Amino acid sequence: MSIVVTGATGHLGRLVVEQLLEKVPAEQITAVVRDEKKAAGLAARGVRLAVADYNAPETFDGLFAAGDRVLLISGNEFDRGRVRQHKVVIDAAKAAGVALLAYTSAPGGLTAALADDHRATEEVLLASGLPYSLLRNGWYHENYTENLAPVLEHGAVVQAAGEGRVSSASRADYAAAAVAVLTGEGHRNTTYELGGDEAWGFAEYAAELSRQTGKEIVYDEVSVDAFAGILTGAGLPAPLAAILAGVDASIEKGELVVTSGDLSRLIGRPTTPLSQAITAALNG
């Protein structure tokens, strides 16, 4: 039996593998990667590598074995047909008879276009008959804290979310939830709505940035269309900019507020506060 993590060199996947190494022997972990060189550090620690690509179904032939527990981390190629990509993994997992397939999805209440691929993938997974766990990850602190340079330069947090609030948590928190499901019992055919313990708004975010930097930083609220234009001006492809701006519209409606408490229960501790993520980013 192996614990198999797809997308293992991505931001989330790498954290999952790192945390798995604290709980199970390295030889029980398989990291699925597209580029073996990027995973050299994991291989050096005894993790088994499997080279495969969501866009090449044949690369998943024989990759899984009966009894494996699999984490399917959603792809980030928005223009490559993510549902088709995810089905490649699900089909291969079904053929092998894996014991559990966990999928990193999106909050159940999210109506933004970003959620469309996730809902469709959930349908494929449920139709497969595989034992599943839907990890409906909320928003990550790092979606904001990893790109502080323009905020600090202009003294403004620019978003189109009105007074909407976000129950974000750190990427490491979501990784810990995945590890709990992959290594624990009782998670077959479960759905977890995952988010941070404390919801916050962008005015509070700007105020916390001001407090920690000693600079005046304001929340500059713009329209969804204007925000999409700002994102394309910063170099994002127009379709992706529209998707991200659509998330802000959902935030304004309260669709990224998660009140289940599932995340802190799964990881056995409170989720990481936004202020701590800001401190880490400023000191990074």
Side-chain angles (χ1 to χ4, degrees), residues 68-265:
D68 283 352
R69 297 182 180 192
V70 179
L71 177 64
L72 168 53
I73 294 180
S74 57
N76 60 4
E77 296 177 309
F78 292 92
D79 58 342
R80 297 289 296 274
R82 291 199 297 168
V83 181
R84 176 185 53 76
Q85 291 178 332
H86 298 158
K87 188 175 185 298
V88 165
V89 180
I90 292 167
D91 288 349
K94 182 178 182 180
V98 306
L100 180 74
L101 192 144
Y103 171 65
T104 60
S105 192
L110 185 63
T111 63
L114 179 74
D116 292 349
D117 287 350
H118 292 298
R119 294 291 91 82
T121 298
E122 288 185 4
E123 289 174 12
V124 171
L125 178 52
L126 267 58
S128 75
L130 279 170
Y132 67 86
S133 184
L134 301 180
L135 305 177
R136 289 179 169 169
N137 287 359
W139 225 219
Y140 299 175
H141 294 328
E142 289 86 352
N143 291 344
Y144 304 106
T145 60
E146 282 183 349
N147 193 29
L148 285 178
V151 175
L152 301 179
E153 181 185 346
H154 299 292
V157 172
V158 181
Q159 300 286 154
E163 295 181 9
R165 303 179 74 73
V166 182
S167 301
S168 64
S170 73
R171 202 176 272 124
D173 291 341
Y174 293 107
V179 168
V181 166
L182 292 168
T183 60
E185 300 302 327
H187 300 293
R188 288 162 62 102
N189 303 334
T190 52
T191 299
Y192 296 111
E193 296 287 346
L194 303 176
D197 296 335
E198 301 289 336
W200 52 270
F202 286 98
E204 294 166 67
Y205 176 53
E208 181 62 22
L209 283 169
S210 299
R211 187 184 72 78
Q212 292 202 30
T213 62
K215 301 176 181 176
E216 185 182 357
I217 296 171
V218 299
Y219 171 32
D220 184 5
E221 183 190 341
V222 299
S223 71
V224 171
D225 286 345
F227 188 48
I230 290 166
L231 293 174
T232 53
L236 264 64
L240 180 56
I243 286 171
L244 294 178
V247 170
D248 267 27
S250 285
I251 290 172
E252 184 165 24
K253 294 183 216 163
E255 294 177 4
L256 278 181
V257 173
V258 179
T259 58
S260 65
D262 284 350
L263 182 52
S264 53
R265 269 197 300 276

